[in-house]
Amino acid sequence: MTGSTGNSRTRVVVAGGGFAGVWAVRRLARDKNLDIILVDRNNYHTFLPLLYQVAAAELEPGQIAYPLRAIFRKYPNVHFVIGDVRSIDMKNKVLHTDGPHIPFDKLVVAMGSFTAFYGVPGADKHCFRLKNLEQAITLRNHIVSCFEQATHERNPDRKDRILTYTVVGGGPTGVEYAGALAELIRQPLTKDFPTLNTGQARVVLLEAGDGLLAGFPDHLRRYAFERLTHMGVDVRLNAKVTAVTPDSVELEGSSPLRTETVVWTAGVQGHALAGQMGLPTGRGGRVPVLPTLQVEGHPDVFVAGDMALPQGDSPAPLIAPNAIQQGALAADNIRAALAGRPLRAFRYRDKGSMATIGRAAAVVRMGKEHTATGFVAWVMWLFIHLLYLVGFRNRLFVLFTWAWDYIFFERAARIIIPRGPIEDDDAP
Amino acid sequence: MTGSTGNSRTRVVVAGGGFAGVWAVRRLARDKNLDIILVDRNNYHTFLPLLYQVAAAELEPGQIAYPLRAIFRKYPNVHFVIGDVRSIDMKNKVLHTDGPHIPFDKLVVAMGSFTAFYGVPGADKHCFRLKNLEQAITLRNHIVSCFEQATHERNPDRKDRILTYTVVGGGPTGVEYAGALAELIRQPLTKDFPTLNTGQARVVLLEAGDGLLAGFPDHLRRYAFERLTHMGVDVRLNAKVTAVTPDSVELEGSSPLRTETVVWTAGVQGHALAGQMGLPTGRGGRVPVLPTLQVEGHPDVFVAGDMALPQGDSPAPLIAPNAIQQGALAADNIRAALAGRPLRAFRYRDKGSMATIGRAAAVVRMGKEHTATGFVAWVMWLFIHLLYLVGFRNRLFVLFTWAWDYIFFERAARIIIPRGPIEDDDAP
């Protein structure tokens, strides 16, 4: 795969198998004259909008992950390469991975984002993240392990800290995770740990601003606050985190919160590769691109999804619909450029936004004007997420899991998933 | 939990949540005057007879694991403690774990077995094991990763080694895993890797004896051999492994087999703790016990399952039914001892044995005389395994997965499950 592309067909390389990358490949694949190579460090696409449910022991990891090879199996012109992207040789047009070096004619860089801690001391070291499947599994193992630990912890202060789960950030991810966690504790864990006073367990949601779900219509923001509070979540507005230690969160103007579990959902920044590529990086570590999603001075290189910061457009939220639209446009513009047609400028089509709040409740905004809350909103949320969840089989499984949980207040995925080195465990 | 048990109720501690431990707890729990404490290093029971299907990317780990707390939720007198058993203080009757120290009145030790390599050089270091969920996940990740590697391996010898999967041991586990692996390669992986010549991939099954499935009736053994051969498995009888290196298996009297994947299913030995307990260890590292399953000189300590070597009985196979029967008898004998009734001697009731061979075929022996092969045997195998699979929800999921695979020749669980340290992956 090294060496020049050297044949008459055009090779498009897509780095990243998230929403932007998968939608770019889907569009590109329709052109039978293109050879498309998709590169990702994992062999699966992760349905990130449901990641929080894996971290809340609601879904199994396999239910929100789908093999990339299987997604593109029906396209003979799509090839998959597993590998960590290391750098991009813009001059010679080669993508370097820890495995093969892949020459390209056109490139779409769509490697997503990282958690941003904004320099809060200790946050990087002590917080759990919720940006990929590994992190979700780690967090879920930790939550259930805390309950196991608490059963034989006799120091009441320590026990209190173990059972205090803190979520930083009142955006959709923070709201959804706090709600899911409150239900996990109130229902299945309470049943599983009869000797533990699970009333002692609590979920604290810290938001620096004066309301949850910034950007949503006001009455939806109030609904989310009321609903979470009703579910027993300790929602604290205007709570600015100044530091995180192994056993506390320090807050501006109030006493520290004693907790051993801090989940940071308060910010994202562009993938670190942007800097290493020798590309300019703008606000939030993202790559400023032309309205066509091309990198200035490198018309064969496109950036899409969370990494991209298109100029001239009002900033779009870093959510799946934005990534999908950018991935699709990058693909369209590549095909336009190859055909000598003019390229289009990116403009985010805001179809709305939504967040679920625990069991059978959600807030939904459609277009500029329509909103919904409660059960109706939750059914809409469910429908739209199932619609986009890649893979028919996964959809059925997920639906079955949800239906079960809805009826029985149960969680399937409560096992602490084995991790770490294996071979030595077994040595007698 | 440290200190004397100190109340009037009798405390029975069960170490190990496998078949023997779970069945012992179930029997003990019926006696409302007993407090039962189950200790395991994992918070779930693993349905080991289907472990090979996790390793063959057929089932998700969660489908064969069930939370121990959920199993015993309805028994208020059963308590679960997560912990690694470190040692047993026989004199003061305390079980030491890496967490709490647990005093007991009666103890059932049922911690299962390890892979035995019989001193074959390199085997311990270079072979994959198939005895617990971690190992199955590691193996499955490795198998799928090999295919990914092979797509960009240009050295033909190396590619050949990467695509040669070797299973050592022609017992039920070896036969079942070789069959499942052959089908994984022939169907879903071939579809997923269109550019790879998957015909190059092969499964080699090495058996030291002159036939597969020792102990099964002869015509079932021949059927298994023919069926696996028909499926493309390279079955080699009288193949004695003399050494394992990172890229080969050395065989007595023939040239080495070039392979980078060696799965060792050829032997088991008792859990290492037996020696550390200061107990006598007999053949295969197992603990010689009286016919009542008591340790000689320690009438309050019972050993059940793979760890136990009951005297006076012809040796029973180390399979689930044996563990279940021993766990139940240990429980019955504890209750008999507490009531002053005489204890019963263990006698293995051989209801039969079975092994599945790929898709829709199996061999089954019932009692001494009845046998079945092919599809009928496979349906029986399916039915019996579902019957014993703990947890109604898991049963439905597994049935759905199997039905799907049967119809579509598909595997769901083909993602390479994320493992290893997380936090640093994300640091920009």
Side-chain angles (χ1 to χ4, degrees):
Chain A
M1 212 168 278
T2 45
S4 154
T5 60
N7 59 23
S8 59
R9 294 170 62 83
T10 302
R11 179 187 281 179
V12 184
V13 174
V14 177
F19 285 105
V22 163
W23 257 259
V25 174
R26 280 189 167 169
R27 287 279 180 113
L28 291 163
R30 295 180 196 164
D31 186 339
K32 302 287 170 251
N33 296 315
L34 299 179
D35 278 327
I36 301 131
I37 298 180
L38 175 62
V39 184
D40 198 284
R41 72 184 190 91
N42 294 313
N43 74 337
Y44 53 86
H45 168 77
T46 309
F47 192 79
L48 290 181
L50 293 181
L51 190 68
Y52 79 94
Q53 296 211 358
V54 172
E58 168 80 17
L59 291 176
E60 287 275 342
Q63 288 175 319
I64 65 158
Y66 204 75
L68 287 163
R69 287 185 182 277
I71 295 173
F72 297 111
R73 189 189 276 169
K74 59 184 164 206
Y75 301 106
N77 57 336
V78 175
H79 309 278
F80 175 71
V81 171
I82 197 165
D84 240 326
V85 173
R86 290 291 159 81
S87 63
I88 300 167
D89 180 344
M90 306 286 270
K91 186 160 158 285
N92 298 306
K93 300 211 283 185
V94 179
L95 183 76
H96 293 288
T97 75
D98 57 348
H101 306 294
I102 309 167
F104 58 83
D105 296 310
K106 303 280 182 189
L107 175 68
V108 179
V109 183
M111 296 173 54
S113 54
F114 283 153
T115 303
F117 294 103
Y118 308 118
V120 171
D124 185 19
K125 189 165 175 203
H126 302 300
C127 288
F128 289 89
R129 294 147 165 91
L130 206 37
K131 290 290 292 174
N132 63 39
L133 206 53
E134 291 107 311
Q135 294 167 354
I137 294 172
T138 303
L139 178 53
R140 149 188 162 168
N141 284 350
H142 171 81
I143 300 283
V144 181
S145 298
C146 280
F147 268 77
E148 293 289 353
Q149 266 184 55
T151 57
H152 50 80
E153 178 58 58
R154 282 178 300 172
N155 176 332
D157 286 348
R158 172 95 213 283
K159 189 166 174 179
D160 199 51
R161 292 201 305 272
I162 294 175
L163 292 175
T164 299
Y165 301 110
T166 309
V167 179
V168 180
T173 304
V175 165
E176 293 188 321
Y177 190 54
L181 212 48
E183 292 197 330
L184 172 70
I185 291 167
R186 215 179 35 177
Q187 288 289 342
L189 289 186
T190 297
K191 282 194 235 167
D192 279 357
F193 293 82
T195 62
L196 196 68
N197 172 13
T198 47
Q200 205 176 340
R202 62 191 179 131
V203 179
V204 183
L205 178 59
L206 303 174
E207 164 58 40
D210 60 2
L212 301 175
L213 298 176
F216 279 67
D218 279 348
H219 69 286
L220 298 189
R221 301 178 67 184
R222 281 194 303 276
Y223 176 86
F225 180 88
E226 281 157 23
R227 176 93 199 163
L228 279 181
T229 305
H230 177 75
M231 289 168 65
V233 176
D234 178 358
V235 185
R236 303 192 189 173
L237 303 177
N238 301 305
K240 290 192 182 62
V241 174
T242 54
V244 181
T245 73
D247 58 6
S248 74
V249 171
E250 289 175 26
L251 297 163
E252 194 178 281
S254 70
S255 56
L257 177 68
R258 310 288 285 166
T259 177
E260 295 193 9
T261 308
V262 187
V263 185
W264 190 277
T265 70
V268 291
Q269 60 185 41
H271 191 282
L273 189 75
Q276 295 165 25
M277 288 194 305
L279 288 176
T281 52
R283 189 161 44 83
R286 292 158 73 192
V287 183
V289 287
L290 300 174
T292 56
L293 304 181
Q294 288 163 300
V295 177
E296 192 156 15
H298 299 284
D300 296 325
V301 179
F302 294 74
V303 184
D306 282 4
M307 276 184 90
L309 187 63
Q311 303 298 300
D313 189 42
S314 57
L318 298 187
I319 57 177
N322 182 52
I324 288 172
Q325 291 174 25
Q326 291 193 3
L329 182 71
D332 290 349
N333 277 348
I334 284 173
R335 293 178 63 186
L338 292 170
R341 285 184 276 116
L343 276 57
R344 282 197 299 122
F346 180 70
R347 205 175 140 266
Y348 175 57
R349 288 182 303 283
D350 181 7
K351 293 180 184 166
S353 48
M354 46 181 32
T356 178
I357 307 158
R359 185 168 161 274
V363 292
V364 170
R365 172 184 60 80
M366 290 153 294
K368 292 265 173 272
E369 291 179 24
H370 302 286
T371 62
T373 59
F375 184 73
V376 171
W378 183 76
V379 170
M380 293 167 64
W381 174 89
L382 189 74
F383 179 76
I384 289 179
H385 281 77
L386 282 179
L387 199 69
Y388 276 95
L389 194 54
V390 170
F392 173 61
R393 176 199 187 104
N394 279 18
R395 259 177 255 177
L396 276 187
F397 269 94
V398 169
L399 194 64
F400 183 78
T401 307
W402 274 330
W404 188 279
D405 293 346
Y406 189 74
I407 298 165
F408 296 107
F409 278 101
E410 185 55 88
R411 303 279 165 115
R414 225 153 50 238
I415 67 165
I416 299 172
I417 295 174
R419 303 176 55 87
I422 302 310
E423 283 69 15
D424 293 331
D425 291 6
D426 192 33
Chain B
M1 214 167 275
T2 45
S4 153
T5 59
N7 59 23
S8 60
R9 294 170 62 83
T10 302
R11 179 187 281 176
V12 185
V13 174
V14 177
F19 283 106
V22 163
W23 257 258
V25 174
R26 281 189 165 169
R27 288 280 180 114
L28 291 163
R30 295 179 195 165
D31 186 339
K32 301 291 170 247
N33 296 313
L34 299 180
D35 278 328
I36 302 131
I37 299 179
L38 174 62
V39 184
D40 198 285
R41 72 184 191 93
N42 294 313
N43 74 337
Y44 53 86
H45 168 77
T46 310
F47 192 78
L48 290 181
L50 292 181
L51 190 68
Y52 79 94
Q53 295 210 358
V54 172
E58 168 80 19
L59 292 175
E60 286 275 343
Q63 289 175 317
I64 65 156
Y66 204 75
L68 286 163
R69 288 185 182 275
I71 296 174
F72 297 111
R73 190 189 275 169
K74 61 183 163 205
Y75 301 106
N77 56 334
V78 175
H79 310 280
F80 174 71
V81 171
I82 198 165
D84 240 326
V85 172
R86 290 292 158 82
S87 64
I88 301 166
D89 179 346
M90 306 285 270
K91 188 159 157 285
N92 298 305
K93 300 212 282 186
V94 179
L95 183 76
H96 294 289
T97 75
D98 56 349
H101 306 293
I102 309 166
F104 58 83
D105 296 310
K106 304 281 182 187
L107 175 68
V108 179
V109 183
M111 296 174 54
S113 54
F114 282 152
T115 303
F117 293 104
Y118 308 118
V120 170
D124 185 18
K125 190 165 174 202
H126 303 298
C127 287
F128 289 89
R129 295 150 165 88
L130 205 37
K131 289 290 292 174
N132 63 40
L133 206 52
E134 292 106 311
Q135 295 166 353
I137 294 173
T138 303
L139 178 52
R140 149 188 162 169
N141 284 349
H142 170 81
I143 300 281
V144 181
S145 298
C146 279
F147 268 76
E148 293 290 353
Q149 268 184 54
T151 56
H152 50 80
E153 178 59 58
R154 283 180 298 173
N155 175 330
D157 286 348
R158 173 93 213 285
K159 189 166 176 180
D160 199 50
R161 292 201 305 270
I162 294 174
L163 292 175
T164 300
Y165 301 110
T166 309
V167 180
V168 180
T173 303
V175 165
E176 293 186 322
Y177 190 54
L181 212 48
E183 291 196 333
L184 172 70
I185 291 167
R186 215 178 35 176
Q187 289 289 341
L189 290 186
T190 297
K191 281 194 235 169
D192 279 356
F193 292 82
T195 61
L196 195 69
N197 172 13
T198 48
Q200 205 177 341
R202 64 192 177 129
V203 179
V204 183
L205 178 59
L206 303 174
E207 164 57 41
D210 59 2
L212 300 175
L213 298 177
F216 278 68
D218 279 349
H219 70 284
L220 298 189
R221 301 178 66 183
R222 280 194 304 274
Y223 176 86
F225 179 88
E226 281 157 22
R227 176 92 199 163
L228 279 181
T229 304
H230 177 75
M231 288 169 66
V233 176
D234 178 359
V235 185
R236 304 194 190 172
L237 303 177
N238 302 306
K240 289 191 182 64
V241 174
T242 54
V244 181
T245 74
D247 58 6
S248 73
V249 170
E250 289 175 26
L251 296 162
E252 194 179 281
S254 70
S255 56
L257 177 67
R258 309 288 286 166
T259 176
E260 295 193 9
T261 308
V262 186
V263 185
W264 189 276
T265 70
V268 291
Q269 60 185 41
H271 191 283
L273 189 77
Q276 294 165 25
M277 289 194 303
L279 289 175
T281 51
R283 189 160 43 83
R286 293 158 72 193
V287 183
V289 288
L290 300 174
T292 57
L293 303 180
Q294 288 163 299
V295 177
E296 191 156 17
H298 300 283
D300 295 325
V301 179
F302 294 73
V303 184
D306 283 4
M307 274 183 92
L309 188 64
Q311 303 298 301
D313 188 43
S314 57
L318 298 188
I319 58 177
N322 182 51
I324 289 172
Q325 291 174 26
Q326 290 193 3
L329 182 71
D332 290 349
N333 277 348
I334 284 174
R335 293 177 65 186
L338 291 169
R341 286 184 275 114
L343 276 56
R344 283 196 296 121
F346 180 71
R347 206 174 138 266
Y348 176 57
R349 289 181 304 283
D350 181 7
K351 292 179 183 166
S353 48
M354 47 182 29
T356 179
I357 306 157
R359 184 170 162 275
V363 292
V364 170
R365 172 183 61 79
M366 291 154 292
K368 293 266 175 273
E369 291 178 26
H370 303 285
T371 62
T373 59
F375 185 72
V376 171
W378 183 77
V379 170
M380 293 168 64
W381 174 90
L382 188 74
F383 179 76
I384 288 180
H385 280 77
L386 282 180
L387 198 69
Y388 275 95
L389 194 54
V390 171
F392 173 60
R393 177 199 187 103
N394 280 17
R395 259 176 255 177
L396 276 187
F397 269 92
V398 168
L399 193 63
F400 183 77
T401 307
W402 274 330
W404 187 280
D405 293 344
Y406 188 73
I407 297 164
F408 296 107
F409 278 101
E410 184 55 88
R411 303 279 165 116
R414 224 153 51 239
I415 68 165
I416 299 173
I417 296 176
R419 304 175 56 89
I422 302 310
E423 283 69 15
D424 292 331
D425 291 7
D426 193 33

